[in-house]
Amino acid sequence: MKKKSLQDRFIGTIIPIMVLIVWFLSTQNNAVQSYVVPSPKEFAIVFFDFIFGNMQASPYSGKMLENLLISTLRVGKGFYVAGVTGMILGFLTGRVPLLRKMCDPMIQALRAVPGIGYLPLGMVWFGVGEENTLFLISLAAFFPVYLNTQEGASRVPEIYIRAGKMLGAKKMILFFTVIFPAAFSHVIVGLRLALGVSWAYLVLGEMTGVTKGIGAIMMDGRMLGHVDIVLACMVVIAITGKFCDWILVKLCRTFGRGLMEDSSNEG
């Protein structure tokens, strides 16, 4: 993989710098009231206090790490359930036409319902709290994994399948040495989309009754009029989500290289 040059990295900072400049100018001389958007200085104080907790700048002083760990664990659980079920069903429906005809119409219909539409149903089934949050994350993250895996599995060239069979690969060996490696790029796309969706629906779930988590703090901050802490939580989610995506890409690329090497050795 080609590393980013210094020029590429600089270009990536242009828009954030422009946003900071506009933010700074718009909050000078009370052009925008602090209860609507805090100034960069006020935000920085609250943000660092949210992380380190030595300034008592808000009621959430030093509470970031504990709540972020709780939220990350929820995302991990929901993402795991969505990833496993999405890949299994995606490969099955992608390779077995009969299963695709049976399952795909129903799954596509369920996908058309907005995720927030499942919130009342989840509250009836699981109550308000942890289980409902995991339900929303798993359901929303399932669809991108399923669709991309199905697309990748259905597009494996038939010549690859015939070549694998000629070399003696059958059933599960054929799947792990031919089908899965050929579809893996699509699977990665589905997993990355699902991870982003997981963080989005984490906030929705945590805003509906859990006592701890980044989303719960966002809801509490909104109700108490702390726009600064809402923005701080948004920044924390953005940074953590980007970091999780980076880890996922690194793991998938490492696994993908090993997968291709194993497939070559089998051949």
Side-chain angles (χ1 to χ4, degrees):
M1 177 183 173
K2 185 179 178 180
K3 291 185 177 180
K4 287 185 177 181
S5 65
L6 289 176
Q7 182 179 1
D8 292 335
R9 294 181 186 277
F10 173 74
I11 291 174
T13 64
I14 291 176
I15 292 180
I17 290 173
M18 291 174 62
V19 170
L20 286 173
I21 293 173
V22 172
W23 181 13
F24 177 80
L25 293 176
S26 64
T27 55
Q28 292 300 298
N29 301 319
N30 294 322
V32 177
Q33 297 298 320
S34 60
Y35 67 85
V36 177
V37 178
S39 69
K41 180 181 178 181
E42 292 171 337
F43 172 77
I45 292 173
V46 170
F47 183 70
F48 283 103
D49 182 56
F50 184 40
I51 298 173
F52 302 108
N54 56 1
M55 291 179 270
Q56 300 300 315
S58 76
Y60 314 97
S61 179
K63 294 185 178 180
M64 188 274 286
L65 183 58
E66 176 190 3
N67 288 276
L68 179 59
L69 289 174
I70 293 171
S71 292
T72 304
L73 183 59
R74 287 179 181 139
V75 168
K77 289 178 180 178
F79 177 70
Y80 173 78
V81 172
V84 171
T85 56
M87 282 193 287
I88 290 174
L89 282 175
F91 276 114
L92 287 174
T93 56
R95 297 305 307 171
V96 183
L98 178 60
L99 284 177
R100 183 166 187 166
K101 292 176 182 178
M102 291 174 59
C103 300
D104 204 52
M106 183 66 175
I107 294 176
Q108 295 293 348
L110 293 174
R111 185 174 70 90
V113 179
I116 196 171
Y118 289 101
L119 178 59
L121 190 62
M123 294 175 71
V124 171
W125 286 352
F126 304 104
V128 176
E130 187 78 20
E131 290 77 13
N132 184 40
T133 303
L134 295 178
F135 166 72
L136 291 172
I137 294 172
S138 301
L139 182 67
F142 164 80
F143 296 112
V145 178
Y146 167 79
L147 290 172
N148 282 276
T149 302
Q150 182 190 81
E151 183 71 10
S154 64
R155 287 180 174 271
V156 176
E158 192 60 32
I159 191 172
Y160 289 4
I161 306 297
R162 291 200 297 267
K165 290 180 178 178
M166 288 179 61
L167 292 171
K170 295 180 180 179
K171 296 182 179 179
M172 294 304 294
I173 294 178
L174 183 67
F175 171 77
F176 284 110
T177 58
V178 178
I179 297 173
F180 188 73
F184 191 63
S185 60
H186 286 78
V187 175
I188 293 176
V189 173
L191 290 173
R192 292 186 70 185
L193 290 171
L195 185 59
V197 169
S198 296
W199 281 101
Y201 279 85
L202 165 82
V203 176
L204 176 64
E206 288 186 338
M207 284 182 170
T208 57
V210 298
T211 57
K212 290 187 177 182
I214 297 297
I217 290 181
M218 289 180 72
M219 175 58 75
D220 194 40
R222 182 194 68 83
M223 295 178 66
L224 296 177
H226 285 278
V227 178
D228 46 14
I229 203 67
V230 173
L231 291 174
C233 289
M234 291 172 64
V235 172
V236 168
I237 290 174
I239 294 173
T240 308
K242 176 64 177 176
F243 180 67
C244 290
D245 180 72
W246 178 80
I247 292 176
L248 178 64
V249 170
K250 290 292 184 182
L251 289 175
C252 286
R253 285 176 177 165
T254 301
F255 180 74
R257 284 195 294 268
L259 194 65
M260 297 305 297
E261 291 174 0
D262 291 342
S263 299
S264 300
N265 292 335
E266 289 288 339

